[in-house]
Amino acid sequence: MNVETDIITLTRFILQEQQKLAPAATGELSLLLNSLQFAFKFIAHNIRRAELVNLIGISGTANSTGDVQKKLDVIGDEIFINAMKSSNNVKVLVSEEQEDLIIFEGGGRYAVCTDPIDGSSNIDAGVSVGTIFGIYRLKDDSKGSINDVLRKGTEMVAAGYTMYGASAHLMLTTGHGVNGFTLDTQLGEFILTSPNLSIPKSRAIYSVNEGNSYYWPEYIKKYIEDLKKPQDDLKGKPYSARYVGSMVADIHRTLLYGGIFAYPADTKSKNGKLRILYECFPMAMLMEQAGGSAVNDKGERILDILPKGIHDKSGIWLGSQGEIDKFLTYLP
Ligand code: AHM
Ligand code: MG
């Protein structure tokens, strides 16, 4: 039997990276990443179990933005809060499920922003959902406040997501490229499966909820219509449409295959749907670190946005550099 006996687990990877890139570091970020991986494993376990123990259903409470929460949202949020609290490295936590930020006791030096279970409306159908996260180091002298998270995305020290599907996939960046890990449920470890991931330069796939197109501005309608026309460089084939409706799954495919994912603002909602701190920023950092790009509806870099509120939203376009460049030519 051919067995790989020298696998790189997430824990080993984190320690190696620290030694290589920041030998003088305190190791606090490494410990925090370890607490995160516990939260991912625990959430993955509950999602796998959900069908069996009939957890799926409405819990009766509403989240900060008024959506009805499913039980798994509540469980995911609790798991995340407890894991971050007990890590002792986190001072500030922003969760999509909590109206206000949480400030923990103790001397943690990091702020974490998360959507604990994104795409939860898909859970009943067995479609992949995921946890999205972005991490800031507290500002010097800060004792933990909203100012530690109302910062540009360029100031994040790490970001990523874990997608819970047939197995759990973690995509992580600490600002030195993107590395992908897959959870081996027997070992209980995330294993490095996609080292130094880079997104293809272009791919004729677009991913957007076209049901909203009536309310799109003209230049967006024109861009998408043009993708559906015969493409010269594709021997007359048009682009393919792919839209799961679960951001983590749509971004995961985009990272691996290339293409473009968008959730633009429309003339009704003005700011789109996706949240800057825990949806747009982490995905934008991953895309850039993988060699892709992420911009808003005006073509401005997502990571340069300065959020004014913890639940602020933005229109977003991200994916292969070539596809973003093409979109930019349509800007008014
Ligand atoms: P959620 O945080 O309430 O789950 O909403 C975010 C999700 C994303 O995963 C996905 O990209 C988007 O909503 C889909 O929205 P729509 O159904 O409007 O296309
Ligand atoms: Mg979400």
Side-chain angles (χ1 to χ4, degrees), residues 2 15 69 71 73 77 81 129-130 220 226 239 298 317:
N2 216 353
L15 292 172
Q69 278 184 342
K71 276 183 178 170
D73 286 345
D77 193 39
I81 292 171
V129 295
I220 294 181
D226 282 356
Y239 273 57
K298 293 184 198 151
W317 299 77

Side-chain angles (χ1 to χ4, degrees), residues 144-160:
S145 85
I146 195 166
N147 295 325
D148 291 306
V149 290
L150 295 185
R151 294 155 77 180
K152 290 183 177 184
T154 47
E155 294 186 37
M156 289 187 297
V157 293

